[in-house]
Amino acid sequence: MSRYVINALAVQDLNEIADYFAENNVEAGDRFFRTFNRKCQQLVAFPNSGKSYATIRPGLRGLSLEGYVIFYRLLDNGIEILRVVSGRRDFPTLFGEFN
């Protein structure tokens, strides 16, 4: 059975995104998280549909979501969500801890 797991750093990212929406636009936040769920289900079904970021970290993939990027890696039985960050971030620096 294919599934997705969200690691601790991605949970922290999602909590920060939720806090932002809670302060600014709850309805937009609800839409964001519904879309996030759909995108994760899509990635489980089609794990190679995201863009490769292998130049930053081997096996790293990402999929855009409303100005953010869902970074993930393939697992034997699904995917692991590694980070969910603004598309404006410096990705090599963000993943420097893994190099």
Side-chain angles (χ1 to χ4, degrees):
M1 169 192 242
S2 292
R3 63 188 176 93
Y4 68 92
V5 295
I6 303 174
N7 78 8
L9 287 174
V11 168
Q12 181 179 341
D13 294 336
L14 292 167
N15 285 337
E16 291 173 8
I17 293 167
D19 289 346
Y20 170 81
F21 281 121
E23 292 178 12
N24 294 285
N25 190 332
V26 173
E27 289 177 14
D30 288 342
R31 284 191 305 274
F32 176 87
F33 283 98
R34 281 194 304 271
T35 304
F36 172 77
N37 243 345
R38 282 195 305 273
K39 292 276 189 177
C40 289
Q41 292 297 332
Q42 171 191 337
L43 289 172
V44 167
F46 304 101
N48 290 311
S49 63
K51 175 182 174 183
S52 174
Y53 286 89
T55 57
I56 296 172
R57 178 182 177 195
L60 182 65
R61 301 192 71 81
L63 187 69
S64 295
L65 168 64
E66 299 178 18
Y68 292 86
V69 178
I70 302 169
F71 285 104
Y72 67 98
R73 70 182 182 104
L74 303 180
L75 302 174
D76 290 337
N77 61 345
I79 63 166
E80 178 184 15
I81 307 298
L82 301 172
R83 300 296 306 258
V84 182
V85 296
S86 169
R88 297 179 180 173
R89 296 280 301 264
D90 178 19
F91 302 144
T93 299
L94 182 71
F95 287 97
E97 66 208 50
F98 297 107
N99 291 328

